[in-house]
């Protein structure tokens, strides 16, 4: 039905509308990435991204570029930035459906269910409207594999080059992690290869090497100008970022135990993991095996399973872990679930997805009056914007929370608590933002305060009583 092709995207648009209406820009990730995009646009520095006007290479620039393009067309604002994420999330649904169709070409019922299965996926609902890199990265992963699949099926080297283009975009979206995601299906090619009509492993690997070379060319279009600007310092910076996240030695690398992802993995399969039909279908396949599955289906399922396991194990062994790092597994797991639910009626699947989206919208509306209030930094950003010409400092680890929200045109000075008094003495018209564990009192010399994630932000103004003290309470 035509409605099943269009309606999921319209419902996704409604989810974004509720996000814009009820959810603030969330610190520290969303505020930081919007601030990096803002500084890039403000300074016209499209080669070297900056955070608080200092070179920033924790993430490559593709998302920042896309946001700046949207701002150039529609004006600077959160809505036009979210338009980039909305398009990426629509592509996420579309490309996952295309991948399901490519792996199971005879299962038309699976293709009809895929948009609803993705739309109703709990993890997708959570991350689809966040200004992060993982949805965009997943689009690049799936697009590159679809191209490699066409190449493997003898459609010509142009598809190997196209795969390289998407791999290059993935590298520009989130860095070397792209190679982990796309590397596993390449390495596992003999496991999922169709011996009748597909390239030999040798031919495929030569094409994959061509893809990687093409990806390198794409990345060099950005990296060469960066080196021209920064010299050899860029190499040590990029290496320290990648190695630090793997070993957990990088500041804010989110070092977590090896079993962290095992605890989160079931969430990626919700709510479909709770479907009785899923477990009945899995039981039938276990008991009857080969009599139920065609050879092509077995190869496709083998690919999905081995690819997912390879990425999961690799990421579990890397010290730096965040829940959204598993977002690229959503298409693989959801297609596998869809295969098991292919005989389930479509109406309950569609209804479940719609109900979850309604619940997400209601949840955001409720959270806007409760939980989200402690994450809304806009009132403090407005306070800063009204005094943008003054000198500002931040006592602690500043992550550029206010650059975009306050449309700042100069950096914050980052100091520690012991330096507050001296900094204020040398900046008699300055302001310092400090963190407090409890609501600051008048005696703390705070001119303005706001609830923050794990405490409060308070603004101390030089010259006010109590402002010379340098410790948060």
């Amino acid at each position: 039905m035509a409605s099943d092709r269009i309606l999921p995207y319209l419902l996704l648009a409604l989810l974004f509308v509720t996000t814009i209406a009820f959810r603030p820009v969330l610190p520290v990730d969303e505020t930081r990435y919007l601030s990096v995009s803002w500084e890039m646009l403000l300074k016209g520095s499209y080669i070297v991204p900056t955070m608080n006007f200092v070179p920033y290479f924790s993430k490559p620039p593709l998302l920042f570029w896309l946001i700046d393009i949207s701002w150039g067309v529609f004006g600077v604002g959160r809505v036009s930035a979210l338009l980039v994420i909305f398009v990426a999330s629509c592509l996420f649904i579309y490309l996952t459906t295309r991948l399901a169709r490519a792996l199971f070409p005879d299962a038309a019922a699976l293709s009809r269910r895929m948009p609803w299965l993705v739309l109703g996926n709990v993890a997708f609902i959570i991350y689809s409207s966040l200004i992060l890199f993982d949805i965009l990265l997943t689009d690049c992963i799936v697009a590159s594999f679809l191209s490699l699949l066409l190449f493997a099926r003898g459609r010509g080297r142009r598809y190997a080059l196209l795969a390289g283009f998407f791999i290059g975009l993935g590298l520009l979206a989130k860095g070397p992690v792209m190679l982990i995601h796309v590397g596993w299906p390449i390495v596992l090619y003999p496991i999922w290869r169709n011996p009748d009509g597909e390239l030999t492993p040798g031919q495929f690997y030569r094409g994959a090497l061509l893809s990687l070379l093409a990806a390198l060319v794409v990345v060099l279009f950005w990296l060469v100008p960066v080196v021209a600007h920064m010299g050899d310092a860029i190499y040590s910076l990029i290496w320290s970022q990648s190695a630090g996240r793997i070993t957990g030695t990088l500041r804010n690398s989110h070092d977590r135990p090896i079993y962290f992802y095992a605890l989160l993995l079931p969430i990626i399969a919700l709510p479909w993991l709770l479907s009785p039909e899923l477990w009945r279908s899995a039981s039938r396949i276990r008991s009857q095996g080969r009599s139920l599955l065609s050879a092509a289906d077995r190869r496709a399922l083998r690919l999905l399973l081995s690819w997912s396991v390879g990425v999961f194990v690799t990421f579990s062994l890397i010290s730096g872990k965040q829940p959204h790092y598993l977002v690229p597994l959503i298409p693989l797991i959801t297609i596998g679930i869809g295969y098991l639910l292919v005989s389930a009626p479509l109406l309950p699947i569609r209804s479940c997805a719609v109900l979850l989206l309604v619940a997400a919208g209601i949840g955001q509306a409720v959270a806007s009056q409760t939980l989200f209030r402690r994450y809304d930094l806009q009132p403090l950003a407005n306070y800063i914007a009204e005094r943008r010409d003054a000198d500002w400092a931040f006592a602690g680890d500043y992550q550029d929370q206010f650059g975009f929200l306050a449309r700042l045109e100069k950096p914050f000075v980052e100091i520690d608590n012991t330096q507050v008094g001296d900094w204020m003495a040398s900046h008699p018209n300055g302001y310092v933002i400090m963190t407090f564990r409890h609501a600051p009192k008048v005696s703390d010399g705070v001119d303005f305060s706001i609830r923050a994630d794990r405490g409060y932000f308070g603004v101390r103004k030089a010259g006010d009583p109590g402002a010379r003290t340098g410790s948060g309470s």
Side-chain angles (χ1 to χ4, degrees), residues 171-191:
L171 290 167
L172 291 176
K174 206 176 178 183
V177 70
M178 174 68 182
L179 298 179
I180 296 176
H181 288 288
V182 77
W184 274 107
I186 291 175
V187 171
L188 295 170
Y189 177 67
I191 293 178

Side-chain angles (χ1 to χ4, degrees), residues 280-423:
R280 283 195 292 267
S281 179
S283 178
R284 286 196 300 269
I285 290 176
R286 268 198 313 271
S287 60
Q288 301 182 38
R290 290 180 174 272
S291 62
L292 285 180
L293 302 178
S294 67
D297 287 359
R298 287 198 300 274
R299 285 192 297 270
L301 292 172
R302 197 181 303 132
L303 166 67
L304 294 172
L305 179 60
S306 59
W307 186 358
S308 300
V309 169
V311 171
F312 175 80
V313 170
T314 303
F315 274 69
S316 295
L317 295 175
I318 294 174
S319 294
K321 298 179 179 69
Q322 282 281 69
H324 51 267
Y325 294 174
L326 292 185
V327 165
L329 289 182
I330 293 175
L332 309 182
I333 292 174
T334 306
I335 292 172
I337 288 173
Y339 184 85
L340 295 175
L341 291 177
V342 73
S343 60
L346 180 57
L347 181 59
I349 294 174
R350 185 193 298 126
S351 300
C352 182
V354 172
L355 286 174
L356 283 171
L357 287 174
V358 171
I362 295 173
Q364 291 193 99
V366 172
S368 69
Q369 302 302 313
T370 53
L371 177 65
F372 286 161
R373 288 193 170 185
R374 69 175 60 184
Y375 295 101
D376 188 1
L377 300 182
Q378 191 62 59
L380 178 51
N382 293 340
Y383 179 94
I384 296 169
E386 292 169 0
R387 299 157 180 82
R388 67 173 74 247
D389 294 329
D391 295 322
W392 283 89
F394 188 94
D397 182 18
Y398 182 55
Q399 292 293 310
D400 214 354
Q401 292 97 316
F402 307 108
F404 166 76
L405 294 178
R407 306 296 196 272
L408 298 179
E409 298 183 6
K410 62 180 182 179
F412 265 66
V413 177
E414 190 173 327
I415 60 178
D416 60 45
N417 285 334
T418 62
Q419 298 173 306
V420 171
D422 292 338
W423 188 88

